[in-house]
Amino acid sequence: MKIRHIYISPAHVYVGHHGKPAGETLMVEVPEVECVTGKGLKGDRYFDFKKDYKGQITFFSEEVYDRLCEQMQVTDKDPSVFRRNVIVRGVDLNSLIGAEFELQGVRFIGTQEAAPCYWMNTAFAPGAEELLKGSGGLRARILSDGVLRRNR
């Protein structure tokens, strides 16, 4: 599994915005991020959100992003619009649900799919939510401290 992009955001854009316009805080791409056991990613909106939170870190597949861009003929959006933290290549993320795994020396446990929501139709393109069902990414808990770095 290779890390292609790492994103954090200091604020929520969709959570708490139902029936209102989305927030405007962009995801910030960083070359590395500190993972803190049981808390999340330093600098991210979900850091120390609540005890045993299932989404201390989120992963998204670059292959899914590429497929979606091709299917929907989208050329002007980068993977940050999905608001997942780590964009990876070379792994079936659904196979990690319920499994412990290690990436760059940091241990995680996959907790559930990062299910797509209706905001994906605005953030990416109309119909994106439906096409992402079953491949929206992975939510995970952090089991050991460490630093993740982008591979190029």
Side-chain angles (χ1 to χ4, degrees):
M1 173 177 4
K2 290 192 173 208
I3 296 175
R4 304 292 295 176
H5 302 275
I6 301 171
Y7 299 106
I8 58 173
S9 177
H12 294 281
V13 170
Y14 304 126
V15 173
H17 288 86
H18 180 71
K20 300 183 253 183
E24 296 181 6
T25 304
L26 297 176
M27 296 293 278
V28 177
E29 186 162 12
V30 294
E32 64 182 42
V33 68
E34 184 178 349
C35 302
V36 180
T37 306
K39 292 186 182 275
L41 303 178
K42 282 253 179 112
D44 190 63
R45 66 209 180 276
Y46 283 108
F47 186 77
D48 209 16
F49 181 61
K50 58 177 137 174
K51 186 174 174 55
D52 287 330
Y53 184 58
K54 294 178 182 181
Q56 294 169 1
I57 185 171
T58 54
F59 296 88
F60 190 72
S61 166
E62 188 176 52
E63 291 93 344
V64 169
Y65 166 73
D66 291 343
R67 176 180 51 84
L68 209 60
C69 286
E70 185 176 325
Q71 280 183 300
M72 302 189 86
Q73 299 181 346
V74 171
T75 59
D76 63 340
K77 305 284 172 82
D78 65 47
S80 71
V81 300
F82 298 107
R83 311 239 355 131
R84 308 297 191 248
N85 300 119
V86 181
I87 311 302
V88 295
R89 188 163 200 86
V91 65
D92 172 11
L93 292 173
N94 287 341
S95 72
L96 299 176
I97 296 171
E100 285 193 28
F101 63 99
E102 186 175 303
L103 179 60
Q104 297 183 354
V106 183
R107 291 184 315 108
F108 305 93
I109 185 163
T111 57
Q112 66 188 68
E113 178 191 359
C117 67
Y118 67 89
W119 287 106
M120 297 300 101
N121 297 328
T122 303
F124 191 73
E129 177 189 11
E130 187 63 32
L131 288 174
L132 280 168
K133 286 183 179 173
S135 57
L138 177 70
R139 297 172 85 192
R141 286 190 186 104
I142 300 170
L143 302 178
S144 68
D145 293 345
V147 175
L148 294 179
R149 292 176 177 85
R150 182 176 56 214
N151 302 113
R152 283 296 180 179

